[in-house]
């Protein structure tokens, strides 16, 4: 179903990189909106330069989105910094749910649910983190 199943610890470890990518995506989106707003009045070389800038920024946003997907995470809302990580609680596959500004991943919700169905994590119900590098967990 999912390319990767996360533990809470694995999700927490990715947060600095996710924060960096979210900030980069927001900056690129802001620059894209500014360039698109200038396009209707631009002529000649200025227009060609703006069109090239728009293509570059769109490509950068798409690349960042693909990068997040390659990490195994799901960007749900760029403005809110809302990200989901597939995980297993008990025998159920769920999403660990993190919103920018939270210091760690501390919530989850069912796959069919969303932010409104978030519940606090209960550490005892999460599978243990492997004690040896390379060790696999059942269902991972």
């Amino acid at each position: 179903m999912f390319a990767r199943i996360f533990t809470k610890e694995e999700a927490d470890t990715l947060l600095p990189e996710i924060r960096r990518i979210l900030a980069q995506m927001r900056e690129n989106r802001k620059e894209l909106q500014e360039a698109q707003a200038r396009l209707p009045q631009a002529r000649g070389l200025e227009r060609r330069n703006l069109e090239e800038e728009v293509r570059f920024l769109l490509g950068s946003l798409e690349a960042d989105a693909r990068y997040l997907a390659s990490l195994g995470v799901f960007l749900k809302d760029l403005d809110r910094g809302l990200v989901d990580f597939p995980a297993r609680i008990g025998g159920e596959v769920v999403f660990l749910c993190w919103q920018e500004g939270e210091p760690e991943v501390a919530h989850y919700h069912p796959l069919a649910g969303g932010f409104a169905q978030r519940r606090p994590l209960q550490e005892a119900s999460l599978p243990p983190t492997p004690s040896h590098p390379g060790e696999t967990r059942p269902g991972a």
Side-chain angles (χ1 to χ4, degrees), residues 59-116:
S60 295
L61 285 166
E62 290 170 4
D64 286 339
R66 282 192 308 273
Y67 174 63
L68 289 175
S70 78
L71 295 175
V73 303
F74 294 85
L75 176 60
K76 297 297 185 162
D77 187 326
L78 179 58
D79 292 324
R80 294 170 61 189
L82 196 56
V83 178
D84 285 346
F85 303 81
R88 193 176 306 277
I89 296 182
E92 182 183 2
V93 176
V94 299
F95 282 126
L96 299 178
C97 182
W98 175 77
Q99 183 172 4
E100 199 166 26
E102 296 173 344
E104 64 182 356
V105 175
H107 298 86
Y108 76 99
H109 61 76
L111 294 181
F115 189 83

Side-chain angles (χ1 to χ4, degrees), residues 5-68:
I5 298 292
F6 288 86
T7 64
K8 177 197 177 331
E9 292 79 12
E10 290 169 336
D12 284 340
T13 299
L14 278 179
L15 292 182
E17 179 68 356
I18 290 171
R19 286 182 186 106
R20 183 187 73 76
I21 294 297
L22 293 177
Q24 181 175 295
M25 289 180 81
R26 284 189 196 106
E27 181 61 30
N28 285 341
R29 184 181 60 185
K30 178 181 172 234
E31 290 178 19
L32 174 63
Q33 290 167 338
E34 290 169 357
Q36 287 173 325
R38 293 192 322 260
L39 260 176
Q41 295 81 26
R43 301 287 180 261
L45 184 57
E46 179 188 9
R47 183 171 185 86
R48 282 191 298 268
N49 288 340
L50 280 173
E51 288 170 345
E52 183 62 31
E53 183 178 354
V54 165
R55 280 192 295 276
F56 173 79
L57 291 166
L58 282 171
S60 295
L61 285 166
E62 290 170 4
D64 286 339
R66 282 192 308 273
Y67 174 63
L68 289 175

